Amino acid sequence: MVRRGLLSWISRVGILLVCLCCVVSVLYMLTCTPRSEDEQLLLPRANSPTGKEGYHAILQEQEEEHRNYIASLKKQIAQLKDELQQRSEQLKTVQGPYSESVGVAFDHGSPEKAQNDLIDFLHSQVNKAEVHNGIKVPTEYAAIPFDSFTLQKVYQLETGLTRHPEEKPVRKDKRDELAETLDVALDALNSPDEDGNSHRKVYTSADFIEGIYRTERDKGTLYELTFKGEKSQEFKRLVLFRPFGPIMKVKNERLNMAKVIMNIIVPLAKRADKFQQFMQNFREVCIRQDGRIHLTVVYFGKEQAQEVRSILENTSKAANFKNFTFIQLNEEFSRGKGLDVGARAWKGSNVLLFFCDVDIYFTAEFLNSCRINTQPGKRVFYPVLFSQYNPAIIYGHHDAIPSIDQQLVIKKDTGFWRDFGFGMTCQYRSDFINIGGFDLDIKGWGGEDVHLYRKYLHSNLIVIRTTVRGLVHLWHEKRCMDELTPEQYKMCMQSKAMNEASHGQLGMLVFRHEIEAHLRKQRVGIKKS
């Protein structure tokens, strides 16, 4: 019995030792077998080298992978260096003009330091602006007022072309500016506070009551937005500031206009006396001073046609001027048709066109502005001219009305900027043809210039719209014909009203009887005393 029990115990111990050896062998293989980069076991494949040769092949494969990885890292580092260099150049572009103009030098050798300097500059703009403290201003005219806005409307002092004291912003940049300001304010209100209060109110645009904003042109724009608070009669006010950065140089161009020919196109019907006045200025400015002008007159009808032609021929003989074209159309006057015909009649190379009216006075400086602000395939020029009031009203208290040269003074009592007019424009013939020209279905006065202006706005061309002191619309009595459409007639009457006099001068005319009665009472009172 004892022998049988001993044999049973020995067999069990043997089995246990065999199992232990198997476990140790497996652990040894798991620990010592070489691994690939992705942690998978590399087992010898059929027909592959074994022993030292196999391990040597594995090491070579891993070394190749490491080389590829290092090459990839080097490529990424090179790309990052290029990007850093580009950012550094951009910072230098910003820093250069600023350091030259203001005398503050940025560290060009360290992009990080330069960026910090730029951030410091933007913060300094806040400190210089009228944000935390008031700034002394010399007069009420120097004060910068705020405009106010709600979610839907802007209430503005400078009404622009729409003339609306309140409006839903038409310009996309203004809409985007105010929408961004509201978004930033809401983000600030809803960001976690220092106390970690998670039960506070979540603000939305419905809580916005009103905002005010104003711009200091050399510093930035200040915004103050008011929101409903958490309790009745409690409010939240957010003060934001958009600082303006230093001026950046974008281009430095040399413009040679010595050989740029301009074709001035004038549509005309009757009005020979006004054409005579126009040609006097043309002879002085275009022939004597400029010398790079071609004149195209498109005349409608037969009445006074010979008289207009004679004025042209007399000017040609007296000034030895041959660069003109006279086109006669025996049909009803259409400004758009006349300008279109004149533009397409040009047979030479691409030419700069100036669409002009017979009652326009211009200077040699304006002709250069016309050349400078146009570029074929790139830019068209829409100057805002100064429109003269009725001289009989302006100078009615004088002994005599001054000459035209003496009347050309830009003041609020002598005229106004005709920002609703788009008839006087400069563009190259190629751009005019490519854009489709005028809408020839429009007859008579008004409308054709706005359609052309909108075509350019809808194109990829840059439209330069600016006031020009050397372009003046001379006053003349305006007649609004019965043949005009209701829309054209309304535009004509509005233009007629604005052409007569300033608001104050028209008020003096309306209340002149009350003024005269007051003066009589004053004289009677003086006599009695």
PDB file of all heavy atoms in Angstrom, residues 174-187 223 225 240 242:
ATOM      1  N   LYS A 174     -21.484  96.363 -42.354  1.00  0.00           N
ATOM      2  CA  LYS A 174     -22.073  96.874 -41.112  1.00  0.00           C
ATOM      3  C   LYS A 174     -22.916  95.804 -40.432  1.00  0.00           C
ATOM      4  O   LYS A 174     -22.874  95.655 -39.196  1.00  0.00           O
ATOM      5  CB  LYS A 174     -22.919  98.120 -41.400  1.00  0.00           C
ATOM      6  CG  LYS A 174     -23.510  98.746 -40.144  1.00  0.00           C
ATOM      7  CD  LYS A 174     -24.346  99.977 -40.436  1.00  0.00           C
ATOM      8  CE  LYS A 174     -23.475 101.155 -40.778  1.00  0.00           C
ATOM      9  NZ  LYS A 174     -24.268 102.412 -40.874  1.00  0.00           N
ATOM     10  N   ARG A 175     -23.668  95.031 -41.207  1.00  0.00           N
ATOM     11  CA  ARG A 175     -24.458  93.944 -40.616  1.00  0.00           C
ATOM     12  C   ARG A 175     -23.548  92.942 -39.930  1.00  0.00           C
ATOM     13  O   ARG A 175     -23.793  92.528 -38.792  1.00  0.00           O
ATOM     14  CB  ARG A 175     -25.283  93.236 -41.701  1.00  0.00           C
ATOM     15  CG  ARG A 175     -26.409  94.052 -42.283  1.00  0.00           C
ATOM     16  CD  ARG A 175     -27.423  93.167 -42.990  1.00  0.00           C
ATOM     17  NE  ARG A 175     -26.832  92.280 -43.968  1.00  0.00           N
ATOM     18  CZ  ARG A 175     -26.649  92.582 -45.252  1.00  0.00           C
ATOM     19  NH1 ARG A 175     -27.020  93.776 -45.697  1.00  0.00           N
ATOM     20  NH2 ARG A 175     -26.121  91.714 -46.101  1.00  0.00           N
ATOM     21  N   ASP A 176     -22.485  92.547 -40.619  1.00  0.00           N
ATOM     22  CA  ASP A 176     -21.561  91.561 -40.053  1.00  0.00           C
ATOM     23  C   ASP A 176     -20.858  92.112 -38.818  1.00  0.00           C
ATOM     24  O   ASP A 176     -20.626  91.385 -37.841  1.00  0.00           O
ATOM     25  CB  ASP A 176     -20.523  91.146 -41.097  1.00  0.00           C
ATOM     26  CG  ASP A 176     -21.137  90.344 -42.235  1.00  0.00           C
ATOM     27  OD1 ASP A 176     -22.297  89.903 -42.084  1.00  0.00           O
ATOM     28  OD2 ASP A 176     -20.474  90.164 -43.274  1.00  0.00           O
ATOM     29  N   GLU A 177     -20.513  93.396 -38.853  1.00  0.00           N
ATOM     30  CA  GLU A 177     -19.824  94.003 -37.708  1.00  0.00           C
ATOM     31  C   GLU A 177     -20.680  93.944 -36.450  1.00  0.00           C
ATOM     32  O   GLU A 177     -20.220  93.516 -35.383  1.00  0.00           O
ATOM     33  CB  GLU A 177     -19.489  95.459 -38.036  1.00  0.00           C
ATOM     34  CG  GLU A 177     -18.893  96.229 -36.863  1.00  0.00           C
ATOM     35  CD  GLU A 177     -18.912  97.733 -37.071  1.00  0.00           C
ATOM     36  OE1 GLU A 177     -19.484  98.183 -38.088  1.00  0.00           O
ATOM     37  OE2 GLU A 177     -18.394  98.448 -36.209  1.00  0.00           O
ATOM     38  N   LEU A 178     -21.948  94.353 -36.556  1.00  0.00           N
ATOM     39  CA  LEU A 178     -22.821  94.388 -35.381  1.00  0.00           C
ATOM     40  C   LEU A 178     -23.207  92.979 -34.937  1.00  0.00           C
ATOM     41  O   LEU A 178     -23.331  92.717 -33.734  1.00  0.00           O
ATOM     42  CB  LEU A 178     -24.062  95.219 -35.687  1.00  0.00           C
ATOM     43  CG  LEU A 178     -23.784  96.693 -36.027  1.00  0.00           C
ATOM     44  CD1 LEU A 178     -25.077  97.439 -36.309  1.00  0.00           C
ATOM     45  CD2 LEU A 178     -23.009  97.372 -34.904  1.00  0.00           C
ATOM     46  N   ALA A 179     -23.388  92.058 -35.888  1.00  0.00           N
ATOM     47  CA  ALA A 179     -23.709  90.671 -35.526  1.00  0.00           C
ATOM     48  C   ALA A 179     -22.538  90.032 -34.779  1.00  0.00           C
ATOM     49  O   ALA A 179     -22.733  89.321 -33.784  1.00  0.00           O
ATOM     50  CB  ALA A 179     -24.045  89.867 -36.779  1.00  0.00           C
ATOM     51  N   GLU A 180     -21.327  90.288 -35.239  1.00  0.00           N
ATOM     52  CA  GLU A 180     -20.142  89.754 -34.555  1.00  0.00           C
ATOM     53  C   GLU A 180     -20.018  90.336 -33.157  1.00  0.00           C
ATOM     54  O   GLU A 180     -19.677  89.626 -32.193  1.00  0.00           O
ATOM     55  CB  GLU A 180     -18.889  90.075 -35.371  1.00  0.00           C
ATOM     56  CG  GLU A 180     -17.613  89.529 -34.743  1.00  0.00           C
ATOM     57  CD  GLU A 180     -16.359  90.013 -35.453  1.00  0.00           C
ATOM     58  OE1 GLU A 180     -16.478  90.845 -36.374  1.00  0.00           O
ATOM     59  OE2 GLU A 180     -15.265  89.567 -35.064  1.00  0.00           O
ATOM     60  N   THR A 181     -20.290  91.628 -33.019  1.00  0.00           N
ATOM     61  CA  THR A 181     -20.222  92.270 -31.703  1.00  0.00           C
ATOM     62  C   THR A 181     -21.204  91.628 -30.730  1.00  0.00           C
ATOM     63  O   THR A 181     -20.868  91.356 -29.570  1.00  0.00           O
ATOM     64  CB  THR A 181     -20.532  93.770 -31.851  1.00  0.00           C
ATOM     65  OG1 THR A 181     -19.629  94.351 -32.790  1.00  0.00           O
ATOM     66  CG2 THR A 181     -20.401  94.485 -30.519  1.00  0.00           C
ATOM     67  N   LEU A 182     -22.417  91.361 -31.193  1.00  0.00           N
ATOM     68  CA  LEU A 182     -23.413  90.717 -30.331  1.00  0.00           C
ATOM     69  C   LEU A 182     -22.979  89.307 -29.947  1.00  0.00           C
ATOM     70  O   LEU A 182     -23.134  88.887 -28.784  1.00  0.00           O
ATOM     71  CB  LEU A 182     -24.768  90.695 -31.051  1.00  0.00           C
ATOM     72  CG  LEU A 182     -25.947  90.100 -30.276  1.00  0.00           C
ATOM     73  CD1 LEU A 182     -26.189  90.851 -28.982  1.00  0.00           C
ATOM     74  CD2 LEU A 182     -27.209  90.100 -31.137  1.00  0.00           C
ATOM     75  N   ASP A 183     -22.415  88.555 -30.893  1.00  0.00           N
ATOM     76  CA  ASP A 183     -21.949  87.196 -30.594  1.00  0.00           C
ATOM     77  C   ASP A 183     -20.838  87.203 -29.546  1.00  0.00           C
ATOM     78  O   ASP A 183     -20.823  86.375 -28.621  1.00  0.00           O
ATOM     79  CB  ASP A 183     -21.446  86.517 -31.874  1.00  0.00           C
ATOM     80  CG  ASP A 183     -22.576  86.171 -32.839  1.00  0.00           C
ATOM     81  OD1 ASP A 183     -23.734  86.130 -32.381  1.00  0.00           O
ATOM     82  OD2 ASP A 183     -22.288  85.959 -34.032  1.00  0.00           O
ATOM     83  N   VAL A 184     -19.887  88.139 -29.684  1.00  0.00           N
ATOM     84  CA  VAL A 184     -18.788  88.229 -28.718  1.00  0.00           C
ATOM     85  C   VAL A 184     -19.327  88.579 -27.335  1.00  0.00           C
ATOM     86  O   VAL A 184     -18.882  88.022 -26.317  1.00  0.00           O
ATOM     87  CB  VAL A 184     -17.754  89.274 -29.185  1.00  0.00           C
ATOM     88  CG1 VAL A 184     -16.726  89.550 -28.096  1.00  0.00           C
ATOM     89  CG2 VAL A 184     -17.055  88.798 -30.451  1.00  0.00           C
ATOM     90  N   ALA A 185     -20.303  89.483 -27.280  1.00  0.00           N
ATOM     91  CA  ALA A 185     -20.883  89.871 -25.994  1.00  0.00           C
ATOM     92  C   ALA A 185     -21.585  88.692 -25.332  1.00  0.00           C
ATOM     93  O   ALA A 185     -21.444  88.471 -24.117  1.00  0.00           O
ATOM     94  CB  ALA A 185     -21.852  91.033 -26.198  1.00  0.00           C
ATOM     95  N   LEU A 186     -22.350  87.924 -26.109  1.00  0.00           N
ATOM     96  CA  LEU A 186     -23.044  86.762 -25.543  1.00  0.00           C
ATOM     97  C   LEU A 186     -22.045  85.705 -25.061  1.00  0.00           C
ATOM     98  O   LEU A 186     -22.255  85.084 -24.009  1.00  0.00           O
ATOM     99  CB  LEU A 186     -23.996  86.165 -26.580  1.00  0.00           C
ATOM    100  CG  LEU A 186     -25.240  87.007 -26.907  1.00  0.00           C
ATOM    101  CD1 LEU A 186     -26.006  86.407 -28.073  1.00  0.00           C
ATOM    102  CD2 LEU A 186     -26.152  87.118 -25.681  1.00  0.00           C
ATOM    103  N   ASP A 187     -20.974  85.494 -25.806  1.00  0.00           N
ATOM    104  CA  ASP A 187     -19.950  84.535 -25.374  1.00  0.00           C
ATOM    105  C   ASP A 187     -19.333  84.974 -24.045  1.00  0.00           C
ATOM    106  O   ASP A 187     -19.076  84.147 -23.155  1.00  0.00           O
ATOM    107  CB  ASP A 187     -18.857  84.401 -26.434  1.00  0.00           C
ATOM    108  CG  ASP A 187     -19.323  83.622 -27.653  1.00  0.00           C
ATOM    109  OD1 ASP A 187     -20.345  82.919 -27.542  1.00  0.00           O
ATOM    110  OD2 ASP A 187     -18.674  83.734 -28.706  1.00  0.00           O
ATOM    111  N   TYR A 223     -17.905  99.780 -28.467  1.00  0.00           N
ATOM    112  CA  TYR A 223     -19.273  99.260 -28.424  1.00  0.00           C
ATOM    113  C   TYR A 223     -19.698  99.123 -26.963  1.00  0.00           C
ATOM    114  O   TYR A 223     -18.930  98.618 -26.131  1.00  0.00           O
ATOM    115  CB  TYR A 223     -19.374  97.874 -29.080  1.00  0.00           C
ATOM    116  CG  TYR A 223     -18.790  97.773 -30.463  1.00  0.00           C
ATOM    117  CD1 TYR A 223     -17.449  97.456 -30.641  1.00  0.00           C
ATOM    118  CD2 TYR A 223     -19.576  97.970 -31.593  1.00  0.00           C
ATOM    119  CE1 TYR A 223     -16.904  97.338 -31.909  1.00  0.00           C
ATOM    120  CE2 TYR A 223     -19.040  97.850 -32.861  1.00  0.00           C
ATOM    121  CZ  TYR A 223     -17.700  97.541 -33.013  1.00  0.00           C
ATOM    122  OH  TYR A 223     -17.161  97.428 -34.269  1.00  0.00           O
ATOM    123  N   LEU A 225     -23.014  97.441 -25.047  1.00  0.00           N
ATOM    124  CA  LEU A 225     -24.238  96.667 -25.263  1.00  0.00           C
ATOM    125  C   LEU A 225     -24.923  96.421 -23.924  1.00  0.00           C
ATOM    126  O   LEU A 225     -24.269  96.048 -22.939  1.00  0.00           O
ATOM    127  CB  LEU A 225     -23.929  95.324 -25.931  1.00  0.00           C
ATOM    128  CG  LEU A 225     -23.456  95.382 -27.381  1.00  0.00           C
ATOM    129  CD1 LEU A 225     -21.963  95.654 -27.467  1.00  0.00           C
ATOM    130  CD2 LEU A 225     -23.774  94.101 -28.125  1.00  0.00           C
ATOM    131  N   LEU A 240     -17.040  96.678 -25.265  1.00  0.00           N
ATOM    132  CA  LEU A 240     -16.102  96.024 -26.173  1.00  0.00           C
ATOM    133  C   LEU A 240     -15.376  97.084 -26.992  1.00  0.00           C
ATOM    134  O   LEU A 240     -15.890  98.182 -27.208  1.00  0.00           O
ATOM    135  CB  LEU A 240     -16.835  95.056 -27.106  1.00  0.00           C
ATOM    136  CG  LEU A 240     -17.738  94.002 -26.448  1.00  0.00           C
ATOM    137  CD1 LEU A 240     -18.508  93.249 -27.509  1.00  0.00           C
ATOM    138  CD2 LEU A 240     -16.918  93.040 -25.605  1.00  0.00           C
ATOM    139  N   ARG A 242     -12.858  97.394 -30.590  1.00  0.00           N
ATOM    140  CA  ARG A 242     -12.158  96.797 -31.737  1.00  0.00           C
ATOM    141  C   ARG A 242     -11.007  97.731 -32.109  1.00  0.00           C
ATOM    142  O   ARG A 242     -11.217  98.747 -32.793  1.00  0.00           O
ATOM    143  CB  ARG A 242     -13.103  96.630 -32.918  1.00  0.00           C
ATOM    144  CG  ARG A 242     -12.503  95.875 -34.111  1.00  0.00           C
ATOM    145  CD  ARG A 242     -13.349  96.025 -35.354  1.00  0.00           C
ATOM    146  NE  ARG A 242     -14.675  95.502 -35.181  1.00  0.00           N
ATOM    147  CZ  ARG A 242     -15.039  94.257 -35.463  1.00  0.00           C
ATOM    148  NH1 ARG A 242     -14.146  93.418 -35.932  1.00  0.00           N
ATOM    149  NH2 ARG A 242     -16.282  93.866 -35.292  1.00  0.00           N
TER     150      ARG A 242
END
